[in-house]
Amino acid sequence: MNETLHTETAQRAMQAVQHEGCSDARIILMHNDEDTIQVRNESLERLQHATSTSLALNLFIDGREGFFYTNDLRPDALSRFVREAVQATTLLHPDETRTLADPSRYYRGDGLGLDNCDSMLSAISPDEKISLARRTNDQVLGCDHRIICAETHYSDRLHSAYTLISNGFEGYEESSHITLSTIVTVSGDDGRHFMDGWGETRIRFRDMPSEGVAPIALQRALRKIGQRPVRSGNYTMIVESPVAGSLLAPMLAAMNGQAIQQRTSFLANRLGTRVGSSLLHIVDDPHIPGTRGACYFDYDGVATQRRILFDEGRLTTFFIDTPYGNKLRMAPTTQGTHHLIFRPSDKSLHQLMSDYPEAILVTDFNGGNCDPTTGNFSYGIEGFLLNKGEIVQPVSGVNITGNQLRLWESLVGVANDADPWETELIPSLAFDEVAFGGK
Amino acid sequence: MTSPFPFQPEDLRRVLSEALSRGGHYADIFLEDTSIRSLELQDGMVSQAVQTVLYGAGIRVLCGEQTGFAYTMELTMPAMLRAATFAASIGRYGKGGENRQMPLPCLATASKWTRSDEKTENLSPLAVRDILLHIDQMAHEMDRRIVRVKASLNQRLQTVSLVNSLGEEFTDIRPRTTLFVHIVMEQSGQTEMGYASRMMQMGAEMVTETTIREVVSEAVRRAAFLFGASRIEGGETTVVMAAGAGGILLHEAIGHAFEADFIRQGTSVFADMLGKEICSPDITIVDDGTQQGDAGCLAWDDEGTKGLRTVLVADGRLESFMHDRISARHFQVSPTGNGRRQSFRHPPLPRMRSTYMLPGQATADDIIRSVRRGILAEVFTNGQVQIGAGDFTFYMKQGHLIEDGRITRPLRDMNIIGNGPRALRDISLVGNDLQFDHSASMCGKGGQNVPVSQGLPTVLINKLTVG
């Protein structure tokens, strides 16, 4: 990113905003460099490069709030864009709760030390990236006669953003991530196809694993051959770490200020109360150097901090931004999670599986939804029926049903296998007496 | 129509020439100028506006079945040539490259299409503000239990131009208007939320009093319905898909698996079934880009193929897959006009448009009367499919239990699971009441979302898993 040029563009936009008579505004100028590579079997299928610069403008005019986004940064176009944005905002009804954050909450540090950006990424040539994707895919080609297709995707992104807020905030941040993933499709004896994948994400190119991704994907696809439903009933459910976040997502959504104010949150009256078993212990820690999601300030410019979200089963935080803090008459916190850590145990996944005589290991969710007002959910799952920790049958065509609050109350086990390179570090989790609907 | 993009034909010819300089056999430039304007009502006030401008060009080079792609948000010749140079580099890798030095046609004499005879008008912000306030009042008058109304009206105007190395060129204006209404109700300490929407490829003319009342009524009815609804124990059961929104069955059970990139890769469960009988001869399924006003309507797709009506299943036989240029070349058939992209920032992929089943002979009442025990699935929120195995799911927000041929109690919040080929074979009755669903329906694939629609007459599926 040309930091000076982009800083000047944002400052020019701020001057235009103020020239149009608007005194309160937030401007974010974002720049992304992205490469995508897709290798299918022996061939390079797709090579893609993208460079984008865009400007987000958030205006506050006498309690009226407008969000505006453009990537047309030609000076004339930007002036017209700002003028129209101010006009559109002026037409709204005043809502005195819509204000910028209190400047005393803004981050005031130097922005250094997070160590979450690969400054060398732009120097890596497309040939090196293609070579990594090809080498990865080649690791499974010809390994098993049941392989129909092996596809490896490489993608990287170098992101930077400059934020300027009219009541006294200026901040610059940058980050990077690189993802390498393989999807393998195999054929069973009966001609049915089974597909599964595996992926790894890192902050730096040099940390990308050169082995393992594709073989794990192949092994995961092969073990699905012969999937069939289990009989309906209540089972212990063990949810594998890579997909455990899907179960937690409705809880995090229900902690959002807008959901609470709009009465569409099943956690609305539960702050400070017990909403899960004592194993439900989660912190958001955005200040750990070298981790994804690490940041010193949020979208509002507000300084981030370590927060306990669930303290041994007790709900301790709502995600409240300034407008919804005003509407709810609650102290604002932050808008969401940055680097979430679910407290692990000292058990491996296999040890956790062995704790239960019969259980179902859920390795993926297949559709389903959760009602935000009641917390009732129904999800399709696939995975494996376990007996004393050993796989006895691959499972698909089965739903789980329940209620979020009852589910988290039934949390009985936690493993230690969360991927440290994710923004949400959630280990495999075990729940007692979950209703499975199959045959 | 004057082109909104700052290039002369010779400029674009130069960019295409650069794009093909490393051995590609085909190249196209997709230019886009889109504005999206939305106002939102919440707590009785229209206090939030959202506007987005998307402006740029995507340059794609095909080299056999390989794709090189780059985009730029800076519409200048140096930036366009840089993007073309990157996209061209696909020619350096592996297969393809058989058309090096391909002569370019003269753009001035090539095929040109422009849809310029249609005027699109958007509503002014003041008019939208009044409509949203009207919705708020209308909803509160419909039911005293309402405690929250949230509504938004989104007006999108996309102007696109495509120029390709075959000498084809088109410019199209694609308006899209979407109305969303959320209702929250409380009764005896219980809170429920209902939601309804409309999305059409048209401008202000979509927002009539009739449409507004339909959408608000639907949202209010759906919220109220949930107070008395419950779930049944999970397991296998007979499912009647209601006409209209039940079209999600086609989208998830077969639609994605008929997209020809999955066929070309051999991963789709239907990959070897072309020409074979896959379901009852009473069933004909179409994917259609020609229905005016429909969210899936395309005068030309996003790689220059004219919008077509494609019969996928004819009288129970698999007739065609949905092709873009790459898969059409692979199978040596004509593209079917299914090459779609979310924006200039994405390369095209084979995607659905409006997918529906033609009507059969039975009445909806006959179908329900034929069921000893099962469910009538009526309102849906989301669905997905696993292409390899063909296992699909969709989430039923609202439905009814059927016992001894009669609708008995209301049901809610159940996930329905099936397998595409098996579910298609298990359709035993097709109703005579085809309806189209014009709810805001976005289909996601490969990180891209495009608007689609679907239609279905009432159908009976002998067995699916619900839970």
Side-chain angles (χ1 to χ4, degrees), chain B residues 1 116 138-140 187 192 204 233 239 270 311 341 353 361 370 443 456:
Chain B
M1 186 176 69
S116 59
M138 183 186 287
H140 282 289
Q187 176 183 298
E192 298 293 354
E233 195 175 325
V239 175
F270 289 101
V311 177
R341 50 178 126 199
R353 300 164 296 198
Q361 301 295 322
S370 73
C443 170
L456 193 75

Side-chain angles (χ1 to χ4, degrees), chain B residues 396-441:
Chain B
M396 183 194 79
K397 188 67 196 172
Q398 185 177 319
H400 282 90
L401 184 65
I402 304 172
E403 295 171 293
D404 296 325
R406 290 184 303 111
I407 287 173
T408 55
R409 64 187 171 96
L411 301 176
R412 63 179 294 179
D413 291 311
M414 301 185 74
N415 202 39
I416 300 180
I417 298 181
N419 177 269
R422 214 173 304 144
L424 207 55
R425 281 196 302 273
D426 276 348
I427 295 176
S428 56
L429 283 172
V430 179
N432 59 6
D433 54 348
L434 169 63
Q435 289 179 31
F436 289 89
D437 178 35
H438 294 297
S439 301
S441 182

Side-chain angles (χ1 to χ4, degrees), chain B residues 277-292:
Chain B
E277 193 171 295
I278 57 170
C279 54
S280 155
D282 296 338
I283 294 174
T284 294
I285 300 168
V286 172
D287 183 75
D288 197 345
T290 67
Q291 301 206 92
Q292 289 299 311

Side-chain angles (χ1 to χ4, degrees), chain A residues 40 44-45 47 50 67 69 71 91 93 98 127 193 261 324 366 368-369 371 377-378 380 382 399, chain B residues 42-43 46 48-49 51 53 55 66-67 69 71 93 129 148 231 264 382 386 388 393 397 412 415 467:
Chain A
R40 181 169 61 87
L44 174 66
E45 178 105 340
L47 174 62
F67 294 91
Y69 168 91
N71 63 45
L91 293 172
H93 292 127
R98 295 185 181 275
D127 281 349
H193 295 182
Q261 191 269 339
Y324 282 96
N366 190 10
N369 210 325
D371 184 302
F377 64 80
S378 173
E382 59 177 40
N399 285 307
Chain B
Q42 188 179 300
D43 301 332
V46 182
Q48 189 166 300
Q51 292 187 11
V53 173
Y55 184 71
Q66 299 172 289
T67 300
F69 181 78
Y71 69 79
Y93 301 98
R129 194 179 70 175
R148 289 282 188 275
R231 300 198 277 198
R264 179 171 64 87
N382 56 294
Q386 295 183 333
T393 76
K397 188 67 196 172
R412 63 179 294 179
N415 202 39

Side-chain angles (χ1 to χ4, degrees), chain B residues 258 284-290 305-314 319-323 334-338 351 353-356:
Chain B
F258 275 39
T284 294
I285 300 168
V286 172
D287 183 75
D288 197 345
T290 67
T305 303
K306 194 159 177 53
L308 296 168
R309 179 180 184 271
T310 309
V311 177
L312 305 176
V313 177
E319 191 80 3
S320 174
F321 296 116
M322 290 175 269
H323 292 284
S334 297
T336 54
N338 289 90
R351 307 296 296 266
R353 300 164 296 198
S354 174
T355 313
Y356 55 92

Side-chain angles (χ1 to χ4, degrees), chain A residues 300-318:
Chain A
D300 282 337
V302 169
T304 54
Q305 57 183 270
R306 184 178 187 276
R307 291 178 192 278
I308 299 176
L309 309 183
F310 298 92
D311 185 1
E312 301 194 340
R314 196 167 57 87
L315 174 64
T316 52
T317 300
F318 279 156

